[in-house]
Amino acid sequence: MKKLDELQREIMQLMVLMAEKDKIKSMSKIESIRVDLYDALDFADNDDELVRIGKFLKIVEELEGKL
């Protein structure tokens, strides 16, 4: 499982891909991040991590809507 800081960096990379108008790589990155976030939900140690993961999922959903 990836750490939340790594997932945050991947979300930033996704934003760069979207800014470059690379839809294929962006969709692939979205799916990859989403799988990692759902895995993180299963192994969250505390409520703060759950909240952070939820926020990341919301960001990814909003970015996907912009594609």
Side-chain angles (χ1 to χ4, degrees):
M1 181 188 80
K2 294 185 180 181
K3 292 185 178 183
L4 294 181
D5 291 336
E6 290 176 45
L7 290 169
Q8 185 174 2
R9 281 190 290 278
E10 286 196 26
I11 292 170
M12 297 296 278
Q13 291 171 353
L14 170 61
M15 291 178 187
V16 170
L17 288 172
M18 290 180 68
E20 294 173 349
K21 308 275 190 231
D22 192 337
K23 287 187 178 188
I24 294 171
K25 286 184 182 177
S26 295
M27 287 303 296
S28 176
K29 188 68 139 173
I30 286 171
E31 290 306 315
S32 171
I33 293 170
R34 184 177 285 132
V35 167
D36 290 337
L37 286 171
Y38 284 129
D39 286 345
L41 280 174
D42 293 336
F43 297 101
D45 292 330
N46 55 52
D47 290 343
D48 291 337
E49 285 185 5
L50 288 173
V51 169
R52 193 168 176 201
I53 293 166
K55 288 179 182 180
F56 288 168
L57 283 168
K58 181 68 175 164
I59 290 168
V60 170
E61 286 175 13
E62 288 180 13
L63 291 171
E64 183 177 27
K66 292 183 179 184
L67 279 180

